Amino acid sequence: MISLAGRDILHSWGKFIFTGFGLGLLIGVTLVMAGVYRGMVDDGQALLDNSGADLWVVQQGTLGPYAESSSLADDAWRQVRALPGVARAANVTYFTMQVRKEGDADDTRATVVGIAADEAAGTPGWPPYLVAGRQITRGHYEAVADIASGFRLGDVLAIRRHRYEVVGLTRRMVSSSGDPMVFIPLKDAQQAQFLKDNDAILAARRRSAANPAFNRPGVPGLLEAINASQSASTSVNAILVRLAAGASPEATASAIERSTQLSVHTRARMQDILVSKLIATSAKQIGMFLAILAIVSAAIVAFIIYTLTMDKIREIAVLKLIGTKNRTIAAMILQQALALGMIGFAVGKISASWSAPIFPKYVLLIAQDSVIGFFAVMAICALASVVAIRMALRVDPAEAIGG
Amino acid sequence: MNFALPKRRTLALFAVLLPLAALLAWVALRSGPMAPVQVTQARVESAQLAPALFGIGTVEARHTTRLGPTVAARVKYLDVDVGDVVRAGQVLGEMEPVDLDERLQALQALRKRSQAALREATARRGFASAQAERYAQLLAAHSTSEELLLTKRQELAVADAVLAAAREDLVRTTADIAALRAQRGQLRLVANKDGIVSAREAEPGSTVVAGQAVLEVIAPASLWINLRLDQISAAGLAPGLPAQIRLRSRRSEPLTGRVLRVEPKADVVTEELLAKVVFEQLPTPLPPLGELAEVTLQLPALAATPVLPNAALHHRRGETGVWQVADGRARFVPVKTGRSDLQGRVQIVAGLQAEDTVIVHSERALTDERRVQQVTRIAGVQP
C-alpha cells in the first residue's frame, strides 16, 4: 500500500525537514525550561544531600542556614553530640561572597562552606565525592572547589585576608541559588565570616580608645582586653547532625530542642523550606514560561500543518476527485503532523541535551520529562492537525479543475 | 528513469533522519540518568606514610620585660626608642621625681630634729640619773623623804623612755630617708638584660600609674612560635619534633625549627593543643612579634601498609568504605582506615589489599549497582 503521507513528505522533504528542525528548536527550549525548573529543585536537593546531615540544629526560631541567617555558639555541638540518637555532630558555616583567584581581575560568586576538620571521611558538611584532587588535610588554608566556579587544582584563592590553595575539585556542590561552593576549614571560615575587615577593626579600636569607659586611666590592660574580645569569633551557622542507626529524626530533634534551646529541622522540613519557600516564586515563573511556550509551540505546529496543507490544496482536490476517501486524506495529514512532531522532538531532545551544560545554572533533563514531553508533542501535533484536516475535507473537488 | 528521482529523495531523507534517530538514541543513553558515571581508578599502593601535623602560630618573645615605675609618676625623659638595642644595666629613661626631693629634704630636716631631740633626751636622762643617785645618798643620810627619792627614780625611768623613743625616732627617720632614696632610685628605668626595645608606651610628660609599662624590652634570642594545632589531628605531637616554619611575610623561605615543649594545658574554647616551636637559626631580620607563621611538624615514618588517596574514601550509612568496579558497576566495600598524611594519603588497615583497584574520583555520587565508565580524567575537569 502506498503511503500518501510518505509520498508527500518525499515530495517536499527539504521543506519538511527544515520545518521539523525549526519546531525542534522550539521544543528544545521548552525542554530546557523544564530542565531549569528541575535543576532548581535539584540544586536544593543537592545542598541537602551534600551536607550529609539528618538534622540541622540552628539558631532558635530561624529557618536555618540556607533560608535565613542563623548564628550559634561554636561549642554548642558538644551538648548536641552527647544526646542519645546522635552519631556525629559537626559545626558548619555558609556564606556567599565573591572569591577571587590570585592574579585574576575578575572574581567569582561562590558559597564558602566552613567544614569541621577531621581525619576520617564522612564528617557532615564535607563534599561527599571529588572529581579531581584530594580532600582537605590541613586545618587551615586549603580549599575544595566546585568545578562550576572555574577554579583548577593548584589555584590560589583570596578569601578575605587569607590565601587558600585549591587541593580538590568537586561537582554539583551548589547553594540553593546555584552558586558553586568552595569548602574551607571551619576556623578559617569563621574568621572570614565573622571577623571584620582590617579597616573596620582599626576603626573599632579607635572608637574603643576614645571611649572613657573602655580606656580608663589607672586600669592598665583594659583597652587591650576590650579590643581582643571585640575581634573574637566563636559563632557558626548551624550544627549538622547525623543520626545513629535506628534513631528517630523527630524524637532526636525534639530532644535536642528541649535541652539546647535551639531550633532543629529534619530533612523533610529542610526540603520543604528549600523547595517550597526558597524557589516557589521562581518555580511559578518558570511554570508560566513553560505554559506559554507550550501554547506557542502548539500554535506554530497548527500553523505549519495548516500551511503545508494549504500548499497542496490542489493535490487534495485531485485526490478527492479521483474518489479518495476522507479518512485517507485525514490520515495523511495526521501522519504528516505526527512525523513532524517526531522530528521536532528528536531535534529538540538532542539540542536540549547538548545545550544544557552550556547554561550557567544547572539544567536537569530527566527521562520522565522527556517521555511526558514526547507524548505532549504528539498530542499537540494531533490536535493542531485537526484544523488542517477540517479544511482539507471541506475542499471542493472542482477546485482541482477550476483552480 | 522516472523513479530515480523519488529514490534519490528517499535516500536524502533517510540520510537526514537516520543520523537524527541514531543521535537521539545516543543522547538518550549517554546523557542524563541512564548514562554510566565516569570514574577514575587508582591502585592501592603499599607505602610508608610519613604523617605530618600542620598548625598555625604567632611569633612571640619568651622573655618580655615591661619597664615602668613602682609608684604613680610622670615620665621625665626616655633615651631609647622602639628597635634600639639595649644592654643589661643601661639606664633607658627616668621618671620625674615631682616632690620626692622636697620630701627627702623634709625628712633630712626631720632627722636633724630627731638627732636634736635625742641629744635633749640624753641630757635629761643624765640629769635624772644624777638626781636619782643624789637623792638615794640623801635618803641613806636621812636628809630627805623616801617619797622624794621615789619621785626622782620615776623621773629617771621617764627620761629613759624618752631617750629610747628619741633613738627609735631617729632610726625611723633614717629609714624613711633610705626608703625615699630607694624610691628615687626606682624612678630610673634600667634594663635588666640585653635586648631590644619593642614598645614605648608613654612619652615624656605623661603620667603613668604604678605598674604601668613605659618601655617593653624583649630578648631577641628568645623568639619562639606559639603554635596551635587542632586537637583532632594532633596525634604524635611531642617535644623535639622537627618543624618547617613559613612566616607570613616570607612564604617562599621556609625556616627550620623544632618543638621546644608541648603545653600541658589545651585551649578549651578553640579546641586546640598548644606547643612552643623554636627556630634552629634566628632569621634576620627578626620577624615582628605577632606575625603569623605556618608550621608543619614532621612525624617519624610509619611501617609500610596499603595506602589510598583520601578522595577514594566515602561514607555510607555510618560506614567508611571505598567504591570498586565489578562488571562495569559500582560496589561499596567497607574499609578501616588508619593514619593519614598531609598529601591526603590514608592507611588502609582492613578491607583492601595492596594492588586492589578502587574508584578515586567520580562524576557524581555513586550508588550500588550504578553503571560506571572508567576514564583517565572526568569530563569537564581541566588539567
Side-chain angles (χ1 to χ4, degrees), chain A residues 11-29:
Chain A
H11 183 73
S12 55
W13 69 275
K15 193 166 149 191
F16 195 79
I17 295 283
F18 278 114
T19 314
F21 267 80
L23 182 66
L25 294 180
L26 194 64
I27 292 169
V29 174

Side-chain angles (χ1 to χ4, degrees), chain A residues 37-61:
Chain A
Y37 170 71
R38 294 284 183 195
M40 283 173 71
V41 174
D42 196 68
D43 278 354
Q45 193 68 42
L47 186 59
L48 298 186
D49 289 345
N50 298 341
S51 71
D54 297 314
L55 298 177
W56 284 259
V57 182
V58 298
Q59 184 184 341
Q60 194 171 33

Side-chain angles (χ1 to χ4, degrees), chain A residues 13-256:
Chain A
W13 69 275
K15 193 166 149 191
F16 195 79
I17 295 283
F18 278 114
T19 314
F21 267 80
L23 182 66
L25 294 180
L26 194 64
I27 292 169
V29 174
T30 315
L31 286 176
V32 167
M33 201 57 105
V36 168
Y37 170 71
R38 294 284 183 195
M40 283 173 71
V41 174
D42 196 68
D43 278 354
Q45 193 68 42
L47 186 59
L48 298 186
D49 289 345
N50 298 341
S51 71
D54 297 314
L55 298 177
W56 284 259
V57 182
V58 298
Q59 184 184 341
Q60 194 171 33
T62 67
L63 289 181
Y66 313 128
E68 60 179 317
S69 65
S70 148
S71 172
L72 48 136
D74 67 354
D75 55 357
W77 73 272
R78 297 180 201 174
Q79 205 181 343
V80 173
R81 177 68 189 83
L83 292 170
V86 176
R88 287 182 106 154
N91 284 328
V92 72
T93 67
Y94 296 93
F95 64 106
T96 302
M97 64 174 291
Q98 300 295 117
V99 176
R100 206 179 65 252
K101 191 171 103 182
E102 205 163 70
D104 263 17
D106 293 339
D107 38 21
T108 308
R109 187 172 176 77
T111 296
V112 176
V113 186
I115 51 174
D118 202 346
E119 272 202 323
T123 302
W126 280 49
Y129 65 93
L130 298 182
V131 293
R134 61 171 172 85
Q135 301 274 17
I136 291 170
T137 54
R138 288 173 169 82
H140 293 279
Y141 316 135
E142 284 190 339
V144 169
D146 188 280
I147 50 170
S149 63
F151 300 136
R152 297 186 193 184
L153 289 183
D155 280 354
V156 175
L157 310 180
I159 299 173
R160 296 278 156 84
R161 67 174 71 156
H162 296 303
R163 296 186 302 176
Y164 299 81
E165 190 192 345
V166 177
V167 296
L169 293 175
T170 180
R171 193 174 160 275
R172 289 290 300 131
M173 304 289 158
V174 290
S175 71
S176 54
S177 52
D179 297 323
M181 284 182 169
V182 174
F183 297 83
I184 61 173
L186 180 76
K187 288 192 171 71
D188 295 343
Q190 274 179 299
Q191 261 206 0
Q193 184 177 8
F194 298 107
L195 199 63
K196 292 175 242 168
D197 62 279
N198 289 1
D199 286 343
I201 290 173
L202 290 176
R205 278 186 201 161
R206 270 200 302 275
R207 272 195 291 278
S208 300
N211 188 338
F214 296 150
N215 194 7
R216 277 188 225 163
V219 190
L222 175 66
L223 183 63
E224 286 76 17
I226 298 276
N227 283 336
S229 81
Q230 277 178 347
S231 53
S233 58
T234 53
S235 295
V236 291
N237 294 137
I239 302 170
L240 302 178
V241 172
R242 189 169 289 149
L243 293 174
S248 146
E250 282 76 20
T252 315
S254 59
I256 297 173

Side-chain angles (χ1 to χ4, degrees), chain B residues 20-359:
Chain B
L20 193 67
L23 215 55
L24 180 68
W26 187 82
V27 161
L29 290 176
R30 287 281 148 179
S31 73
M34 308 265 283
V37 179
Q38 292 189 347
V39 297
T40 64
Q41 293 192 322
R43 218 174 264 284
V44 181
E45 289 171 28
S46 180
Q48 284 188 311
L49 277 197
L53 310 177
F54 178 81
I56 56 171
T58 43
V59 177
E60 287 177 7
R62 186 178 185 175
H63 304 299
T64 307
T65 316
R66 292 165 69 81
L67 298 173
T70 52
V71 290
R74 185 179 296 131
V75 182
K76 186 176 178 188
Y77 70 90
L78 291 174
D79 274 345
V80 288
D81 211 335
V82 173
D84 287 355
V85 177
V86 296
R87 301 260 155 249
Q90 184 182 340
V91 177
L92 310 179
E94 197 174 336
M95 309 304 295
E96 208 159 322
V98 195
D99 59 346
L100 270 187
D101 288 343
E102 286 72 16
R103 275 164 58 198
L104 196 63
Q105 218 175 341
L107 277 177
Q108 278 165 346
L110 194 64
R111 183 166 64 176
K112 283 181 186 153
R113 194 192 139 128
S114 298
Q115 283 165 344
L118 183 63
R119 282 199 300 275
E120 186 191 341
T122 313
R124 282 183 190 281
R125 199 250 169 216
F127 178 69
S129 167
Q131 282 286 78
E133 209 169 303
R134 199 159 64 85
Y135 272 82
Q137 286 166 1
L138 285 176
L139 184 68
H142 298 286
S143 308
T144 186
S145 66
E146 193 170 350
E147 192 186 353
L148 266 176
L149 175 65
L150 284 177
T151 307
K152 293 302 166 189
R153 278 187 180 158
Q154 187 230 7
E155 280 171 3
L156 175 63
V158 169
D160 265 342
V162 170
L163 179 64
R167 272 194 194 118
E168 293 308 317
D169 211 31
L170 184 63
V171 169
R172 193 195 73 176
T173 316
T174 312
D176 273 352
I177 289 170
L180 208 59
R181 281 207 176 115
Q183 232 172 59
R184 178 84 171 74
Q186 282 297 310
L187 289 177
R188 293 191 309 166
L189 303 173
V190 182
N192 64 337
K193 58 175 69 175
D194 295 355
I196 292 176
V197 177
S198 58
R200 179 168 151 153
E201 292 179 0
E203 289 304 311
S206 46
T207 310
V208 290
V209 298
Q212 191 176 346
V214 175
L215 291 170
E216 193 183 79
V217 178
I218 56 159
S222 73
L223 282 194
W224 64 15
I225 290 167
N226 185 18
L227 178 67
R228 303 177 352 244
L229 291 155
D230 217 305
Q231 290 172 5
I232 288 168
S233 52
L237 176 64
L241 285 178
Q244 194 194 49
I245 304 164
R246 273 175 200 278
L247 293 169
R248 219 6 119 79
S249 60
R250 283 170 251 182
R251 286 175 72 92
S252 53
E253 302 166 30
L255 304 162
T256 53
R258 67 187 161 77
V259 179
L260 179 72
R261 67 163 189 248
V262 177
E263 296 289 321
K265 279 184 178 178
D267 192 320
V268 283
V269 178
T270 61
E271 296 165 26
E272 286 171 320
L273 297 188
L274 305 172
K276 298 285 187 279
V277 174
V278 288
F279 294 96
E280 290 292 352
Q281 256 191 338
L282 273 180
T284 42
L286 284 178
L289 296 185
E291 181 175 353
L292 198 65
E294 296 171 21
V295 180
T296 309
L297 304 177
Q298 203 60 52
L299 297 177
L302 306 170
T305 48
V307 295
L308 264 187
N310 66 5
L313 292 174
H314 294 273
H315 192 270
R316 203 184 63 156
R317 293 194 287 273
E319 273 185 322
T320 301
V322 295
W323 290 97
Q324 282 189 307
V325 182
D327 303 328
R329 289 177 188 276
R331 188 166 60 93
F332 190 78
V333 181
V335 298
K336 210 164 164 318
T337 56
R339 302 287 301 274
S340 57
D341 67 5
L342 290 182
Q343 281 67 49
R345 298 190 304 169
V346 184
Q347 281 186 332
I348 302 298
V349 179
L352 285 174
Q353 303 294 323
E355 299 303 307
D356 283 351
T357 310
V358 297
I359 294 174

